[in-house]
Amino acid sequence: MQFDGKKAVISWGIYDWANSAYATTVMAGFFPIFFKQFWSAGVDPTTSTARLGVANSLAGILMACFAPILGAIADKGTAKKKFLMFFAYMGVVMTSALYLVSMGNWLLAVMLYVFSSMGFTGANIFYDALLPGVAAEEKLDFVSSLGYSLGYLGGGLLFALNVWMALRPTAFGFANAESAVNFAFLTVGLWWALFSIPLFLFVKEPPSAKAKPGTNLVKAGFLQLRDTFQEFRHLKSTFLFLAAYWLYIDGVDTIIRMAVDYGLSIGFDSNDLIKALLITQFVGFPAAIVFGVLGSKIGARRGIFFGIAVYFLISIWAAFMQDKREFYLLAIMIGLVQGGIQALSRSFYARIIPADKSGEFFGFYDMLGKFATFFGPLLMGGTGIIIRVLGYSSDFASRLSITSIALLFLAGGVLFYFVDEEQAKQEARYLTEIKKGNTSS
């Protein structure tokens, strides 16, 4: 396989710079605030939280339905860049359209958010699938970390600009903060579209010896998906890891998507919450690399356990926060472990799957990561509604809802404890030998 060199590596990494603007400004930052204060103006905070939770869960469910076959098609075909472009620019258009949604029109805002989220996550399937063609095996960790780092930095820079516009709207020619925030959604679409171009121009998709045209490609994707499920019968330890990963990464994604909404629900000022998100972003830029080094020193397994433990404490502590300085401290803690737990989970998984099936198995891994946007937001929103129905205050319901996420970290940590890395490697080697035996016969 020929690799394209530094230009391709940088162009591939810049896409993370491009789409992370959506993750910061829209998903974690302004959308939860605008949804609660503008598009759901006058609605009970618990109800608006539940609506946002359902929106995030709906986007997760829809992508979970499509991601397995899309991942399998990506592994079989040579249309990764075309699929990536379709989903990326679907996300661009839907995100930009949020600029046009009027006050109180929460349903249209939800619909656009769901489709923009599907564009974001769908494009990432094919973005990840391009990585093996960009970097040689010994460079995969570096290039992957480069993408994470550029994502934190690029997303943080645009978010900082948008926060500045919201705090000083008249300096930028806006009548008020609401107009500035509304315009911020359009800047995300433009940023995402512009910085996606280098990937489409300079990253070449390697040809596949097993490429299938048209409907044959779809058929091949379904057949590969069937084979993947069958092979998991021989990979019990890998399957156990995926179950653990689904639980704890669901908790991570829920905190990313719902943290600002939660802060608003318990009475924190939106400006303080935005500042906390900026702290997370710029702490996460160097921390992702440092956490990776830590993992190489103490092992990915211990590093993942450390990240799970920190997140468990965060989800408990968050219920008792009273001061904005506590929220800032939690933002620092999240920034220290957020990128690290994602990176180490990916590297741990890479070591326990069959070496000759990495594309196929990472497609499944990526699908599971997308499905992880479903249960946590629904759990959080549903817990809040149940507590309110029982007659407790909105503040108490919101605080208890965040602690429900601790269950995901606890359950994920328990399952991960029983994952035997060496046994998983043996199972992977055994499966490879079976395949070779079948081929020779």
Side-chain angles (χ1 to χ4, degrees), residues 149-168:
S149 298
L150 288 174
Y152 277 114
L153 183 59
L157 288 175
L158 183 63
F159 189 36
L161 175 61
N162 286 328
V163 170
W164 189 14
M165 290 194 306
L167 294 178
R168 300 287 186 270

Side-chain angles (χ1 to χ4, degrees), residues 74-92:
D75 201 37
K76 286 289 185 183
T78 56
K80 297 181 183 68
K81 286 174 62 175
K82 292 180 181 178
F83 276 105
L84 196 160
M85 184 180 293
F86 170 78
F87 280 103
Y89 284 103
M90 180 178 81
V92 166

Side-chain angles (χ1 to χ4, degrees), residues 215-295:
T215 57
N216 289 334
L217 173 61
V218 177
K219 181 180 179 181
F222 274 106
L223 291 175
Q224 178 165 305
L225 183 62
R226 182 200 62 186
D227 292 342
T228 301
F229 279 103
Q230 291 177 344
E231 287 166 357
F232 272 117
R233 294 180 300 173
H234 303 288
L235 301 171
K236 295 179 181 179
S237 296
T238 302
F239 184 81
L240 185 61
F241 167 74
L242 287 174
Y245 171 76
W246 175 73
L247 289 168
Y248 70 71
I249 210 67
D250 197 346
V252 172
D253 288 342
T254 300
I255 288 178
I256 291 172
R257 292 169 180 258
M258 303 295 288
V260 168
D261 181 270
Y262 170 71
L264 290 170
S265 296
I266 63 174
F268 287 169
D269 183 75
S270 60
N271 289 338
D272 292 328
L273 300 177
I274 292 299
K275 291 174 184 176
L277 282 177
L278 283 172
I279 291 172
T280 298
Q281 203 67 18
F282 288 109
V283 169
F285 167 57
I289 297 176
V290 173
F291 208 98
V293 174
L294 177 65

Side-chain angles (χ1 to χ4, degrees), residues 125-149:
I125 295 174
F126 301 98
Y127 173 62
D128 291 342
L130 287 173
L131 176 58
V134 172
E137 183 177 352
E138 64 272 14
K139 297 289 186 179
L140 285 175
D141 290 338
F142 168 76
V143 175
S144 180
S145 297
L146 176 67
Y148 273 113
S149 298

